[in-house]
Amino acid sequence: MNHRAQAAGSDTGRRVVVEAREVSKRYARNWALKAVDLRVEGGELVSLLGPNGSGKSTLLRVLTGVTRPTYGSVELFGAPPKTSNGKRQHLGVLPPQSYLYGELTALENLNFAAVMYGLKSHDDELVEALAHVGLEQAADRQVRTFSSGMRKRLALARATLHDPELVLLDEPYGALDVEGIGWVDAFVGELREAGKTLVIATHEIGRALALCDRAVSLRGGRVVYDGPTSSYEGAVSGATDSVRMEAKR
Ligand code: ADP
Ligand code: MG
């Protein structure tokens, strides 16, 4: 390990990939985030939990640089987040709604993303990326004809097309059936095997606890838990009823 890595990392010497310090975000009179600290090291798989409206999506948007924090600072890989796609080579994002182009085919959607990322991908590479998510047969179909599971697969293919180090997934299980959920789990497992750093925002507590080592839980924009998933349920069971209810769902 070189000295730079040591200086940038924690006592484990791993690279700090995400560093959010005292991040607060206000929308009109509503604080969506309140003094959130989050540090994620290379290769970690972190679930971001909390009920609807607790600030998960806002935190992910602040991390990607789409939204600026009202107070506080964010660094990805030791630098402020870039706002242009072409400069976000280390970052892959799955937004909660897929934001795919319904009138374009699956292949055209990936091609568009490749251009945005400044990749010089040939069609056969893009078809390979589609095959990887089980959409090879649907490459030339318009995305508006896709089921929600197919859209999610395509959105995941797009989010990881440029082989990013850090992948932020916002509600990857949203609107999926059991088969779709299993598929997302397997995809996340592959990213983990590949050593990627992942932050997964979800209100599906059971899925997150099964998949991730670490849970960060938000309530009303504040971090109320940050620790191993193994102690999550115990830690929140002494809290308010609503927290207890959610942990048991
Ligand atoms: P979650 O993803 O956990 O459901 P969000 O981050 O979407 O939570 O929302 C957190 C809070 O911020 C909510 O009160 C929500 O209404 C508010 N909020 C989120 N985005 C906006 C926005 N663009 N404009 C105004 N308020 C917003
Ligand atoms: Mg959300």
Side-chain angles (χ1 to χ4, degrees):
M1 188 204 329
N2 66 34
H3 293 295
R4 264 206 4 240
Q6 212 159 17
S10 69
D11 42 6
T12 61
R14 284 208 284 179
R15 186 177 189 192
V16 177
V17 171
V18 174
E19 181 92 86
R21 291 192 193 90
E22 296 267 315
V23 167
S24 297
K25 176 68 188 179
R26 185 180 58 205
Y27 290 111
R29 292 163 72 187
N30 175 25
W31 288 92
L33 296 173
K34 296 173 192 161
V36 169
D37 288 313
L38 178 69
R39 166 187 272 225
V40 181
E41 295 182 357
E44 273 195 288
L45 207 172
V46 178
S47 57
L48 189 57
L49 301 174
N52 283 336
S54 58
K56 304 181 296 295
S57 294
T58 303
L59 180 55
L60 290 191
R61 284 201 307 273
V62 165
L63 295 181
T64 59
V66 173
T67 301
R68 273 173 189 273
T70 309
Y71 298 117
S73 67
V74 172
E75 289 186 348
L76 300 186
F77 305 98
K82 306 281 196 300
T83 48
S84 130
N85 264 336
K87 293 182 176 163
R88 285 155 61 178
Q89 294 299 341
H90 302 300
L91 173 65
V93 181
L94 178 79
Q97 287 84 26
S98 297
Y99 299 114
L100 297 160
Y101 298 96
E103 299 307 310
L104 300 185
T105 66
L107 188 58
E108 287 166 345
N109 267 276
L110 280 198
N111 206 350
F112 187 80
V115 171
M116 294 291 285
Y117 279 112
L119 300 176
K120 294 185 175 65
S121 307
H122 296 290
D123 270 6
D124 49 351
E125 291 170 76
L126 299 180
V127 170
E128 204 174 298
L130 286 173
H132 187 69
V133 297
L135 291 176
E136 195 177 9
Q137 302 302 320
D140 297 320
R141 263 174 62 184
Q142 277 184 318
V143 166
R144 64 183 171 80
T145 68
F146 280 19
S147 68
S148 52
M150 291 168 80
R151 283 167 201 259
K152 197 65 91 178
R153 290 177 187 216
L154 180 56
L156 282 166
R158 183 183 57 186
T160 54
L161 190 63
H162 53 307
D163 197 26
E165 286 291 310
L166 170 64
V167 184
L168 306 178
L169 306 177
D170 197 347
E171 301 292 351
Y173 301 105
L176 293 185
D177 58 13
V178 174
E179 191 191 346
I181 288 171
W183 189 91
V184 169
D185 278 353
F187 192 85
V188 168
E190 267 183 40
L191 292 173
R192 168 184 220 166
E193 289 297 303
K196 305 300 184 191
T197 310
L198 286 129
V199 180
I200 304 176
T202 178
H203 56 268
E204 299 275 342
I205 289 203
R207 301 270 22 100
L209 297 187
L211 263 181
C212 303
D213 311 313
R214 177 177 162 200
V216 173
S217 184
L218 294 173
R219 290 286 179 286
R222 283 188 196 282
V223 175
V224 295
Y225 179 84
D226 183 355
T229 45
S230 52
S231 6
Y232 177 76
E233 296 210 14
V236 296
S237 66
T240 65
D241 281 351
S242 62
V243 174
R244 205 156 47 227
M245 295 276 293
E246 193 195 336
K248 282 184 176 163
R249 250 203 333 232

